[in-house]
Amino acid sequence: MDVMRRSLLALMGLGLLAAAGCVSDEEGSDSFTLTGAITNVASGPVPAGTVTIRLEEQGVMDVAAKLIAETSVVSDGKATRVPFVLQVPKPELNKATDAGFTIRVERDDRLIATNTSKQRYSGGSNISLRIEPILY
């Protein structure tokens, strides 16, 4: 009985140590989670297709935007808000000059919607981004 009690206490102690380690890993992590949603400037749902969200360094003239983080989600064409989650590396974001978002909606290898106005990242972890339809 005493052996079982010690084993149980040891397991509980290991569990507490593991949980404490997880918390410190999150706090000391080199990245953070950014959440947000895409909406359509035109009234109505976000068009059906693959939505690619890129956080980029956009502040250096005459140089292609440098990727900081990227994610993709699928829009079914019915929702007016399409949520996304983006894992952002802190060192790259801290080094970036004028970080901003590029959003593309593609279907069948064709651009359906994008953002034409600059959408800067000004901090925070909950972002609302807007796209405009492409008219062919």
Side-chain angles (χ1 to χ4, degrees):
M1 183 82 153
D2 198 28
V3 172
M4 285 181 60
R5 178 184 244 173
R6 278 191 227 148
S7 297
L8 182 60
L9 288 174
L11 283 173
M12 288 177 23
L14 286 174
L16 289 173
L17 287 174
C22 289
V23 171
S24 68
D25 283 347
E26 286 180 28
E27 289 174 359
S29 176
D30 282 344
S31 66
F32 68 97
T33 302
L34 185 122
T35 60
I38 306 296
T39 58
N40 198 343
V41 169
S43 57
V46 173
T50 301
V51 182
T52 303
I53 302 102
R54 292 173 53 104
L55 179 58
E56 303 169 325
E57 178 178 25
Q58 299 176 339
V60 182
M61 290 183 63
D62 299 327
V63 175
K66 181 181 173 191
L67 178 66
I68 298 170
E70 179 179 48
T71 191
S72 294
V73 294
V74 175
S75 170
D76 62 5
K78 298 175 184 173
T80 57
R81 292 175 44 86
V82 175
F84 68 90
V85 176
L86 184 64
Q87 200 63 31
V88 180
K90 291 177 188 176
E92 283 80 0
L93 181 61
N94 291 338
K95 290 186 288 187
T97 302
D98 199 16
F101 293 93
T102 300
I103 306 104
R104 297 175 60 89
V105 180
E106 296 181 49
R107 182 174 60 234
D108 300 326
D109 294 323
R110 190 170 183 180
L111 183 63
I112 304 299
T114 188
N115 63 314
T116 57
S117 58
K118 184 160 183 153
Q119 297 183 63
R120 287 188 168 99
Y121 175 69
S122 56
S125 60
N126 192 6
I127 305 299
S128 181
L129 303 173
R130 298 172 59 88
I131 50 135
E132 296 120 43
I134 301 294
L135 304 174
Y136 289 99

